[in-house]
Amino acid sequence: MNHDLAEMDTLDIFLSNISKDEYESIKHKIGHRKDKPMPLLSWGFFMEAYHRRIDEARKKTDLDTVLAFARKFGWKNELQDTFDEQDYEALIITDKDQKIIWVSDGFTSMTGYTRSFAVQRTPRFLQGELTSEETKQRIKTNLALDKPFKEVIINHRKDNSPYKCEVQIVPLYSNKTTHFIAFERQVV
């Protein structure tokens, strides 16, 4: 019976990936199936593709939002290229003084803080007792250089649990740097 189920599932997967014309040309070879279609046993394949599509849609929404800010502030950065190069879970845009003007939905998922809580604060509210003074100083120094940089910092979620966060910070500029964008992801 298991062999038959595996063949049925393989056939179902095959049939779901062919065009209507291809199906019409081979359906006489398959015959009429009297049994009910079985649930897809390869749910993992489906879920992987589903999560990939959700992630792609989220990143497109993030990019569209950042591009709207770019038009508003006249940023000259090649943001599409910047996004293509980044692997991130959360985004933060700050002004030159590091006051947050926007965070992505991924930020809320990663930290537990809402957008309305974060806006007009500096990212320092994410720091806690495990945040290294040396790391904070390196970030401050690198921000002053107005060049992209990467750093790993221990931040704290709203529930005060610590997490290691890789931050890629890119200055956003028109004639000079006006804002920063931080691409963030949790690392082990």
Side-chain angles (χ1 to χ4, degrees):
M1 181 75 174
N2 284 342
H3 181 67
D4 293 337
L5 285 176
E7 286 179 5
M8 245 174 25
D9 287 340
T10 303
L11 178 61
D12 290 340
I13 292 169
F14 171 76
L15 293 175
S16 70
N17 286 301
I18 64 173
S19 70
K20 199 172 197 173
D21 290 339
E22 289 173 309
Y23 175 75
E24 290 299 322
S25 72
I26 65 167
K27 74 178 183 181
H28 68 281
K29 294 179 183 179
I30 299 169
H32 179 67
R33 293 174 63 179
K34 295 179 182 174
D35 57 335
K36 289 185 174 181
M38 296 297 294
L40 187 61
L41 293 178
S42 58
W43 187 250
F45 292 121
F46 169 79
M47 289 307 292
E48 183 180 329
Y50 173 77
H51 285 292
R52 188 174 50 252
R53 285 192 307 273
I54 294 294
D55 191 50
E56 289 167 0
R58 177 183 59 82
K59 287 184 175 185
K60 176 157 180 12
T61 300
D62 290 345
L63 176 60
D64 290 345
T65 302
V66 172
L67 291 174
F69 278 113
R71 287 187 296 277
K72 177 179 178 180
F73 294 112
W75 297 331
K76 296 177 182 174
N77 302 69
E78 293 294 331
L79 291 168
Q80 179 70 57
D81 293 342
T82 304
F83 268 75
D84 290 344
E85 296 167 0
Q86 301 300 323
D87 181 23
Y88 70 91
E89 296 172 49
L91 293 174
I92 300 175
I93 297 177
T94 68
D95 64 15
K96 184 76 170 154
D97 299 319
Q98 289 94 49
K99 283 211 183 229
I100 296 171
I101 65 166
W102 177 79
V103 297
S104 67
D105 291 340
F107 173 86
T108 297
S109 297
M110 189 165 70
T111 68
Y113 289 103
T114 63
R115 181 175 293 139
S116 61
F117 179 86
V119 170
Q120 293 303 310
R121 288 182 166 75
T122 68
R124 288 187 288 278
F125 74 87
L126 296 167
Q127 299 168 4
E129 66 182 53
L130 297 179
T131 307
S132 157
E133 288 298 323
E134 294 82 18
T135 303
K136 292 190 309 189
Q137 186 58 47
R138 280 193 309 272
I139 290 173
K140 184 177 179 180
T141 300
N142 282 317
L143 286 171
L145 295 174
D146 278 346
K147 295 188 186 218
F149 67 94
K150 186 184 291 186
E151 187 65 62
V152 175
I153 186 168
I154 296 178
N155 278 336
H156 294 73
R157 295 179 187 86
K158 185 176 180 180
D159 67 5
N160 207 32
S161 62
Y163 65 99
K164 232 182 230 189
C165 184
E166 180 184 83
V167 182
Q168 175 77 36
I169 298 179
V170 176
L172 300 168
Y173 62 91
S174 48
N175 292 332
K176 60 182 181 170
T177 299
T178 61
H179 294 81
F180 295 95
I181 185 167
F183 295 86
E184 300 187 353
R185 67 187 184 110
Q186 188 172 334
V187 293
V188 180

